[in-house]
Amino acid sequence: MRLLGLSLIVFFGLVAVGTILFAGFVRLIINSIKEVTSIFKGGKEKSKPYYYGDDYKKEQNDENITIIDAEIVKESLLKPYISDIKNANKNNDAEITNLLNNLIDVLQSMDNYIANHRDKEDDIKMMAEYYIPEMLNHLKTYKEMKTSKFKSKHEEPIRLELMDTIKMITDAFSTVLSEFYDNMALNVSSSLEALKASIKMKGYVK
């Protein structure tokens, strides 16, 4: 009886091992067939697409996507505001169009600076969130007045006030950006002076 039990254990053990080996053999054959098929189709397996910038957040959960620099990819801070201004800068007076183009140029320069100096982001975000939507709302109102059949005596004064406001917003961002670069220049100058003083103190140069 004991011999029979031992025989059954050995039998089922051999069956289990045989099953595992057979499954492995079948899998090996299937993979080989896939490789041969791929060769005859004339190509390697397509590489995963790479996404960055605007597509980063949208695609990051897709297992077929490879993310580049996932930790540092961030959306542009001022891009939405720049886009809104560009959309609003249609069918305007030539003077207003020129002023808005100047504002767009300054905002683009500011956005490029912030991309490399994220510590300044909060200050600029506060300015952009308040000034630009307010200005665009007033521009929308002015354009509505301008295209209306019923002319108002306030249309020209509002146009002048709007132009002055756009100039002030442009100057505000320009001033802040200039201060950023001025501070950067001072820091670089101080660092270079310290570096030169260290070299001289150690006697490497006369």
Side-chain angles (χ1 to χ4, degrees):
M1 192 70 176
R2 183 178 299 175
L3 182 60
L4 177 62
L6 183 60
S7 299
L8 289 174
I9 292 173
V10 171
F11 172 75
F12 286 114
L14 291 174
V15 170
V17 172
T19 302
I20 294 172
L21 291 175
F22 180 74
F25 180 70
V26 171
R27 186 172 183 179
L28 181 61
I29 292 176
I30 292 173
N31 289 337
S32 299
I33 293 174
K34 285 183 179 179
E35 290 179 4
V36 172
T37 303
S38 176
I39 292 173
F40 278 108
K41 285 183 177 180
K44 301 177 180 178
E45 185 180 351
K46 292 183 179 179
S47 59
K48 296 179 181 180
Y50 291 84
Y51 285 88
Y52 51 91
D54 292 341
D55 294 321
Y56 162 60
K57 288 186 177 179
K58 182 175 66 177
E59 303 288 354
Q60 62 180 316
N61 294 323
D62 191 329
E63 63 180 5
N64 295 318
I65 301 300
T66 299
I67 302 301
I68 298 177
D69 294 332
E71 294 298 324
I72 64 173
V73 172
K74 291 187 177 182
E75 291 183 352
S76 163
L77 174 65
L78 296 178
K79 182 177 179 180
Y81 299 101
I82 294 172
S83 178
D84 288 343
I85 295 172
K86 286 181 177 179
N87 290 333
N89 197 16
K90 298 175 182 177
N91 303 321
N92 287 316
D93 299 340
E95 291 178 296
I96 292 179
T97 296
N98 290 334
L99 291 174
L100 289 175
N101 284 335
N102 291 337
L103 176 57
I104 289 171
D105 289 341
V106 171
L107 291 177
Q108 188 61 65
S109 297
M110 178 67 81
D111 205 41
N112 293 338
Y113 178 88
I114 293 173
N116 297 313
H117 302 86
R118 290 289 175 177
D119 57 309
K120 306 295 184 182
E121 187 174 293
D122 290 341
D123 295 334
I124 302 307
K125 185 177 180 181
M126 290 177 61
M127 294 176 63
E129 283 181 344
Y130 178 69
Y131 295 142
I132 295 177
E134 282 290 307
M135 180 269 294
L136 291 177
N137 284 335
H138 294 311
L139 175 61
K140 182 179 178 181
T141 300
Y142 167 71
K143 292 173 73 172
E144 183 178 343
M145 293 177 62
K146 182 184 174 184
T147 56
S148 174
K149 294 180 180 180
F150 302 95
K151 298 300 178 182
S152 170
K153 63 180 180 179
H154 301 291
E155 181 178 320
E156 181 61 16
I158 287 178
R159 186 180 80 89
L160 296 175
E161 285 290 338
L162 180 60
M163 291 173 57
D164 192 47
T165 301
I166 297 172
K167 289 178 185 177
M168 290 183 67
I169 293 173
T170 303
D171 290 342
F173 280 100
S174 296
T175 299
V176 173
L177 185 58
S178 295
E179 290 177 353
F180 287 162
Y181 278 111
D182 287 344
N183 291 334
M184 181 190 298
L186 289 174
N187 291 335
V188 170
S189 179
S190 298
S191 179
L192 290 174
E193 287 297 328
L195 180 61
K196 290 190 293 184
S198 175
I199 294 172
K200 291 178 181 179
M201 185 171 27
K202 293 184 178 180
Y204 295 137
V205 296
K206 295 182 180 180

